[in-house]
Amino acid sequence: MMSLRYRLRGFKLVAMLVESDGQRSSSFRRTRLRAGEGAQDEKWLQTLLFARPDLVILDRMEADAGAFVPIVRELPLAREGGVVFLDILGISRSGRLVLVECKLWRNPQARREVIAQILEYAALARGLSYSDLTAKVRQSTARRSSANPIYELARQKWPDLDESGFVDAVSRSLDLGDFHLIVAGDGIRSDLHAISDHLNASGLAAARFSLLEIQLWKDDQDRTLIVPSVPVRTEVIQQRVLMTETGRPLRIEETGDDVAEASEQVVDPEQAKQRASNRIFWQSFIDTVKFDHPDQPVPRHGGNNWVRVPLPEPVKWMTAYRSRDKLGLFLALSDDEGFAFYEWLEGQADALRQESGLPLTFEQDPSGSNKGQVSLTVPKAELVDDIAQLEWLRERANRLVTLFRPLISRWVDQAA
């Protein structure tokens, strides 16, 4: 049996060969990576990817993502009823955490289960602080005496990495659930509907999800070689704001925004141009908005013509949006806790309008379901151009964050 060291030397060679000419050499034949075939089981795959992080081709999964640096194997994550273990936790240069789960496909059920599994791990990781994660890394590695093991491992790859900026970026990744989730396995044939259903139900709207296929080959001398590929990718889970005829934001639906953009380029170039213009507008908002509250994270793109301003539970986020004739901001509150918070706010409506100086609107879903919304809108006709619209949105978003964050903290303290 060949040693792992010998295999690893060959893996790099074949990956380079395939990239150079775009075709597989005729002297190699495809062989499946299956449990029970020698050392080729899921633990073997986990060990391989951790030892050779260049096989996790993150830059092919996401443009400009760069390299992947593994941090720890078998990261323990506490949940109700016990502990689960994430196969590999890694990181990108930007500070986005990368969660990798290895699975050898035996049947379609295993495929669906591993997707649910990695989403659960992501939800559990989202509850950690940077300090929590540091402690877990120390406990799970030989770096117990290291002051900042996550940064030190990343700096080995990127020596010019700024420590404070990197720590802030990782903290944001944890706060927002802004992870890259990767399921790695052999011969991936994904059930796209199952993946979509799991992602849409996960609540990890900032997360990226990719499948990594590990193709094993043998040559005429029985040498085993490996080629990584990305057969299917789902981008950031995009959403759209649905409006009433009067322009009131009604609810948010999930949509594949990247697919819509590609379609528009072919069937409606003008709409594609407008979508690109909208993204530039909201990127300007993200880059220039200033919040007086020191704990407020930066906004993040949502879907076409709206962004998400993160807020603590039970609010989760405030939406800033533009429609054809209006723009505004709103909190959409649902489920038992969210609606109870809405009713608590509605009971103070006059005081909140007076404190903020804003004409806030409080509305409950007329269907009787536990949904409430606090909103603020302005007709586009009152704002002459994009500059005026940006100024209105920046100023109102800051005032609303300053208003709502203390109220959220007070509500959480009372409920404790």
Side-chain angles (χ1 to χ4, degrees):
M1 182 183 298
M2 290 180 293
S3 70
L4 179 61
R5 182 178 301 173
Y6 180 80
R7 285 200 204 92
L8 291 176
R9 287 202 300 269
F11 293 158
K12 180 66 173 180
L13 174 65
V14 133
M16 293 174 63
L17 173 66
V18 173
E19 288 172 6
S20 66
D21 63 14
Q23 295 182 351
R24 299 178 176 88
S25 168
S26 59
S27 65
F28 294 96
R29 61 181 186 276
R30 176 80 176 272
T31 183
R32 294 290 185 184
L33 181 67
R34 300 186 191 279
E37 293 183 357
Q40 298 171 1
D41 58 13
E42 287 166 358
K43 189 67 70 175
W44 175 87
L45 180 56
Q46 180 194 119
T47 302
L48 169 66
L49 297 181
F50 195 84
R52 290 299 300 266
D54 52 322
L55 293 172
V56 182
I57 45 178
L58 198 60
D59 56 340
R60 294 196 202 171
M61 301 174 188
E62 181 181 355
D64 301 321
F68 164 79
V69 171
I71 301 296
V72 65
R73 292 175 56 196
E74 298 289 345
L75 179 74
L77 296 168
R79 68 173 179 182
E80 186 175 350
V83 177
V84 292
F85 294 88
L86 171 69
D87 282 348
I88 300 173
L89 176 73
I91 201 151
S92 68
R93 183 185 174 97
S94 67
R96 177 177 292 121
L97 291 167
V98 182
L99 284 62
V100 182
E101 192 66 15
C102 301
K103 177 64 66 175
L104 305 186
W105 309 123
R106 299 174 182 84
N107 54 60
Q109 186 63 27
R111 185 163 59 240
R112 290 188 290 271
E113 287 174 356
V114 74
I115 293 166
Q117 191 175 35
I118 197 169
L119 291 173
E120 179 188 17
Y121 294 170
L124 295 172
R126 187 181 181 185
L128 301 175
S129 67
Y130 188 88
S131 297
D132 294 334
L133 186 58
T134 297
K136 285 183 175 292
V137 171
R138 283 182 184 146
Q139 191 175 58
S140 301
T141 66
R143 296 178 172 268
R144 289 181 178 265
S145 60
S146 174
N148 192 347
I150 303 170
Y151 168 70
E152 289 169 11
L153 285 165
R155 192 176 60 174
Q156 291 178 11
K157 178 70 176 179
W158 305 292
D160 61 334
L161 206 58
D162 175 70
E163 184 171 8
S164 62
F166 177 79
V167 171
D168 287 346
V170 178
S171 298
R172 271 197 308 275
S173 178
L174 288 163
D175 287 343
L176 302 175
D178 183 7
F179 306 137
H180 201 130
L181 312 179
I182 299 174
V183 172
D186 64 312
I188 289 174
R189 298 293 181 268
S190 64
D191 180 340
L192 293 179
H193 294 294
I195 293 173
S196 177
D197 290 346
H198 281 302
L199 289 176
N200 289 339
S202 71
L204 291 162
R208 293 143 172 82
F209 178 87
S210 298
L211 299 175
L212 175 63
E213 183 175 15
I214 300 301
Q215 301 176 2
L216 284 184
W217 297 72
K218 287 183 181 295
D219 69 0
D220 294 337
Q221 301 176 41
D222 205 34
R223 294 175 300 179
T224 303
L225 305 120
I226 192 166
V227 180
S229 66
V230 183
V232 176
R233 178 180 61 205
T234 62
E235 296 293 344
V236 183
I237 305 167
Q238 300 286 0
Q239 299 177 332
R240 64 179 175 220
V241 182
L242 300 184
M243 316 291 293
T244 64
E245 292 182 357
T246 61
R248 182 174 70 87
L250 196 61
R251 69 183 187 277
I252 294 177
E253 277 192 352
E254 305 287 346
T255 181
D257 204 53
D258 55 326
V259 175
E261 287 182 14
S263 300
E264 286 164 5
Q265 292 288 351
V266 177
V267 301
D268 195 341
E270 283 303 313
Q271 189 169 350
K273 182 179 178 180
Q274 184 59 52
R275 184 183 290 270
S277 175
N278 291 340
R279 188 168 184 85
I280 291 171
F281 175 88
W282 288 109
Q283 187 61 53
S284 179
F285 172 80
I286 290 169
D287 291 342
T288 59
V289 66
K290 304 295 182 185
F291 294 106
D292 293 326
H293 199 290
D295 294 337
Q296 179 58 36
V298 297
R300 298 192 60 83
H301 286 286
N304 181 37
N305 227 0
W306 71 278
V307 297
R308 184 191 307 265
V309 181
L311 287 170
E313 298 280 0
V315 177
K316 301 178 183 176
W317 72 84
M318 175 171 64
T319 300
Y321 70 95
R322 290 194 304 176
S323 67
R324 181 171 299 177
D325 56 358
K326 290 186 178 185
L327 61 153
L329 304 106
F330 69 91
L331 308 180
L333 298 159
S334 60
D335 69 42
D336 291 345
E337 185 180 11
F339 187 68
F341 180 64
Y342 167 80
E343 291 185 312
W344 185 72
L345 291 176
E346 189 179 31
Q348 310 170 66
D350 290 339
L352 296 179
R353 293 186 186 105
Q354 183 175 2
E355 180 181 348
S356 65
L358 299 172
L360 300 174
T361 299
F362 293 77
E363 296 177 285
Q364 293 189 30
D365 190 326
S367 69
S369 61
N370 286 354
K371 294 182 180 179
Q373 183 171 278
V374 185
S375 60
L376 176 69
T377 61
V378 64
K380 268 189 176 179
E382 294 184 14
L383 303 169
V384 294
D385 54 23
D386 283 3
I387 294 174
Q389 292 175 22
L390 283 169
E391 181 58 32
W392 188 92
L393 286 163
R394 286 192 297 254
E395 197 269 342
R396 269 63 175 185
N398 180 42
R399 285 163 68 179
L400 288 176
V401 165
T402 301
L403 174 70
F404 286 120
R405 287 191 72 103
L407 291 169
I408 295 168
S409 296
R410 193 190 316 163
W411 166 263
V412 171
D413 288 344
Q414 290 177 358

